[in-house]
Amino acid sequence: MCGIAGYRTNKPISPMTLSTMLNVIKHRGPDSTGTYFESDYSGGMCRLAINDLEHGNQPLYNEDKSVALIYNGEIYNAPELREKLKAKGYAFRSNSDGEVICHLYSEYKENLFEYLDGMFAVALWILPLKRLVLARDLPGEKPLYYTKLPDSGLAFSSEIKSLKLFPELNLTLDRQSIWDLPTFLWVPEPKTIYKEINALPRGHILISDSDNLQIRSYKNNFNKKDINKYSDYEIIEETRKIITHAVESRLLSDVPIGCFLSSGLDSSIVAALASKSLDRLNTFTIGFEDLDDPYHGKSDESQDASEFAKFLGTNHNTIRITGPDFYNSLDKFVHHGDQPFAVSSGLGILAVARAASEANIKVLLSGDGADECFGGYSWYNYLSKVNEISAENTFQENFNSLQNIGESLDTKLKDLAGMSAEKRAWAWHYYAHEEEKKSLFSNEYSEGLCSSLRHFSEFNKNRTWSTEEYIAQDRDFYFPNEMMRKLDRMTMAYSVEGRVPFAAPAVLSHANKLKESHMIRNGKLKWVLRQAFANCLPKDVINKPKHGFNVPIDYWLKSSWKKLMSETFSEDSALYKHSIINFQSKLIAKNMLNDPKRLNGHTLFCFIVLNRWLENEHV
């Protein structure tokens, strides 16, 4: 695990530029630094030493050093790949998992990435061809950003902040990205907050020659089994087998490992499987004010988590946090978001990562992704019902959503039934609607922008989506953009590596084949996952309803965080000075926060984060 940065250019650039780029992302790898210089290419990494502590420094090379690698991540099937490559005559210099990438290039060229089960952001320099190859893992766990330089060159980095060091870029804010932010709480990839910088899409490679640049996807070749003719029993067994392997392979480490542990099913499965393979496992949970959120229910689940940790026999840590504690970490949260990122539950990840770092734990496993892969979100139970209502009736479209708390569930479902598929996809899962944003943004700033709902219509242009399609859209869009981005940025803030077994390519491939009846049966969400581990976990864990980690953002903005509202929507704010919000936004935001029929805390927190980012991070 590390952070990587570099550039290829036809114009001489001082080596100090690379050194400065790496220094900016030093938190991603504080243990050592490695660099590689050629006349028209410079690349480097800052290392968080997890595997082959003594000999795993980078760059790594193939046998004749014609291929040089810097990379961020872990290759979990490296042991098997190493043995296969050795059988073909390849000699290894280290025990680093990343060295297999160099030799795989000799065998498969750019197709090598189809063989990697892992999380990674890769930069390969092919010396004889003067070619730079960048690649990003299939699920999108590890970030990789790039920008074209004015001299036909290209710069890349694990974080946007180090690309901002190139003054010739003349970076400009992307108005469309800022418009999308309050809808999702993040900027959807491959766009970023800057017009001149893009994310390399997950599961893609970028090839840069001296006069050409191409980007293409590569295949997920893991778990190609056809389960269409499998019985329920066989699918349950296959689910258990795939997840068990995903967890066990992600224990690859020469340093101690920990787990996030709520009292829910997903993290409990990961922790239970990890504890069977490790002599000692550290588990971490957040405990804070047990408020009654009108949408999510009670906030604090730390007692249940502690009881399950006792059942497993882990070394358990409960980190008790208050609203003021989260408030005091807000600037760090904004800084390590890298670009505006307003998922408030990331504050909890940040607190756990800090505790893990203080306990000398460098690796944390997470249960993220089980909901998107196996059908775990509460509204999935209503997807088919709303499709049936829609087929039978015609309703006038409106902007009701699950953030509305003033209507009965039946009323909300009828309202959703009248929506187009893309509006319904928004209403199930997301926040500010287009009309709300128009009331807060200035006319000047919002003029000519596209609806944020385009991200749903681009996924599927059909009027009606099946239940499987709604869940697949969450797996394809929400999971990488929110869940994995949150885990990576907030754990790396304290030099801790977050790992996601449910993001394994084999798990994603398996999930893509599941039918609604495998995921949801008789009102039971994640049916096949619960069945797969029913004999491994206590019944109260298996049967417990979904309960995410929820920060009571609406309550805090009305109480201990009230000052943030006045700062953000004042005429002295960066938002106002950039002409992003209008002169009425202060009153409108106040009314939104106090609306008894709708939860708007997350929408308003987006503007708070954006304002802080503009004041402290934007150059």
Side-chain angles (χ1 to χ4, degrees), residues 244-263:
T244 299
H245 180 267
V247 173
E248 291 176 350
S249 63
R250 278 147 183 78
L251 302 178
L252 180 71
S253 176
D254 293 331
V255 298
I257 288 178
C259 282
F260 290 92
L261 181 62
S262 68
S263 62

Side-chain angles (χ1 to χ4, degrees), residues 602-613:
H602 288 95
T603 293
L604 299 172
F605 187 59
C606 270
F607 286 91
I608 290 167
V609 168
L610 177 59
N611 187 60
R612 284 284 179 106
W613 183 86

Side-chain angles (χ1 to χ4, degrees), residues 12 14 33 41 73 83 108 134-135 162 205 208 255 310 313 366 390 413 438 472 514 582 586 605 607:
S14 167
T33 300
Y41 170 70
E83 292 307 311
Y108 303 112
L134 303 179
S162 67
I205 65 173
S208 173
V255 298
K310 288 179 182 178
S366 165
S390 180
L413 295 183
K438 285 179 183 177
L514 295 175
N582 63 54
K586 185 174 184 178
F605 187 59
F607 286 91

Side-chain angles (χ1 to χ4, degrees), residues 405 558 590-600:
I405 57 174
K558 294 175 184 177
K590 180 180 179 181
N591 291 337
M592 287 175 65
L593 183 61
N594 293 308
D595 187 343
K597 295 184 177 181
R598 183 164 169 80
L599 296 172
N600 287 307

Side-chain angles (χ1 to χ4, degrees), residues 153 184 206 245 357 398 546 586 610:
F184 303 112
L206 180 154
H245 180 267
S357 178
N398 57 47
K546 166 70 180 174
K586 185 174 184 178
L610 177 59

Side-chain angles (χ1 to χ4, degrees), residues 41 49 95 162 187 191 208 227 263 277 305 345 362 369 397 412 424 438 450 478 527 618:
Y41 170 70
N95 290 318
S162 67
V187 176
K191 293 292 187 181
S208 173
I227 65 172
S263 62
S277 298
S345 58
K362 285 187 174 183
E397 289 197 3
K412 281 188 276 195
R424 205 182 297 170
K438 285 179 183 177
C450 299
Y478 177 82
W527 178 83
H618 174 53

Side-chain angles (χ1 to χ4, degrees), residues 238-416:
E238 186 70 10
T239 299
R240 183 189 303 115
K241 177 183 175 182
I242 289 170
I243 293 171
T244 299
H245 180 267
V247 173
E248 291 176 350
S249 63
R250 278 147 183 78
L251 302 178
L252 180 71
S253 176
D254 293 331
V255 298
I257 288 178
C259 282
F260 290 92
L261 181 62
S262 68
S263 62
L265 177 67
D266 312 334
S267 64
S268 296
I269 289 172
V270 173
L273 291 172
S275 67
K276 287 183 179 181
S277 298
L278 299 174
D279 294 333
R280 181 177 177 83
L281 179 67
N282 292 271
T283 50
F284 298 84
T285 192
I286 286 283
F288 59 98
E289 300 152 284
D290 196 20
L291 300 170
D292 192 3
D293 185 307
Y295 181 68
H296 299 104
K298 292 290 185 181
S299 302
D300 184 49
E301 293 190 295
S302 58
Q303 183 59 44
D304 289 346
S306 295
E307 291 176 5
F308 184 66
K310 288 179 182 178
F311 170 80
L312 293 180
T314 69
N315 178 32
H316 189 62
N317 305 266
T318 299
I319 303 103
R320 301 217 65 87
I321 300 292
T322 65
D325 292 329
F326 278 149
Y327 183 94
N328 292 334
S329 64
L330 188 57
D331 282 338
K332 190 173 183 71
F333 172 80
V334 171
H335 176 71
H336 287 287
D338 197 29
Q339 57 181 323
F341 181 77
V343 181
S344 59
S345 58
L347 290 160
I349 305 297
L350 194 66
V352 170
R354 177 180 178 179
S357 178
E358 291 173 348
N360 294 315
I361 303 298
K362 285 187 174 183
V363 178
L364 284 173
L365 270 64
S366 165
D368 288 333
D371 293 313
E372 295 86 353
C373 287
F374 296 99
Y377 290 117
S378 59
W379 56 89
Y380 290 169
N381 248 328
Y382 311 123
L383 292 171
S384 292
K385 182 177 181 180
V386 169
N387 271 344
E388 291 169 4
I389 296 172
S390 180
E392 297 171 358
N393 301 278
T394 301
F395 299 97
Q396 183 177 356
E397 289 197 3
N398 57 47
F399 282 104
N400 203 342
S401 80
L402 292 197
Q403 296 300 314
N404 287 53
I405 57 174
E407 295 94 359
S408 68
L409 177 61
D410 284 344
T411 298
K412 281 188 276 195
L413 295 183
K414 286 181 180 179
D415 284 347
L416 265 68

